[in-house]
Amino acid sequence: IKTADCLPIIATSLQDDWIAAIHAGWRGVEKKITTISLKPIANPNDKTIKVYIGPHIQQKSFEIDKDIAERILSAHNINLQTALNTS
């Protein structure tokens, strides 16, 4: 996976013998691309699933507008103010 400011995500299962490579930008995170990608292949009872996030841009080097932050957090049922208070 080639990425710039996006997240390269690798997931694998030793039990069911699969590997997945996922590219997630902020729109993908908002639309739950990781969950959607893994749903057809991942067994919820599989205790061997591992997920790895590769090198990506860090928070201090990346700025988004408040409305985008609210969209992403809202999609995952997280309140912006709550998220800011736990950082």
Side-chain angles (χ1 to χ4, degrees):
I1 298 176
K2 289 185 178 184
T3 63
D5 57 348
C6 300
L7 297 171
I9 301 167
I10 304 295
T12 185
S13 165
L14 297 174
Q15 174 182 301
D16 295 330
D17 196 32
W18 57 260
I19 188 167
I22 305 163
H23 173 270
W26 72 263
R27 287 180 183 89
V29 172
E30 177 188 17
K31 294 179 181 178
K32 304 178 185 179
I33 191 65
T34 305
T35 302
I36 291 167
S37 298
L38 295 177
K39 191 170 187 173
I41 58 174
N43 173 351
N45 298 315
D46 183 350
K47 304 294 185 208
T48 69
I49 294 174
K50 303 285 186 203
V51 178
Y52 305 91
I53 299 173
H56 57 282
I57 195 168
Q58 300 295 304
Q59 182 178 1
K60 64 183 176 186
S61 302
F62 187 73
E63 293 182 26
I64 60 170
D65 292 331
K66 183 179 176 184
D67 63 319
I68 300 298
E70 288 173 339
R71 284 175 53 182
I72 294 169
L73 294 171
S74 176
H76 296 275
N77 299 317
I78 301 169
N79 177 280
L80 178 61
Q81 195 58 44
T82 303
L84 291 173
N85 290 335
T86 60
S87 300

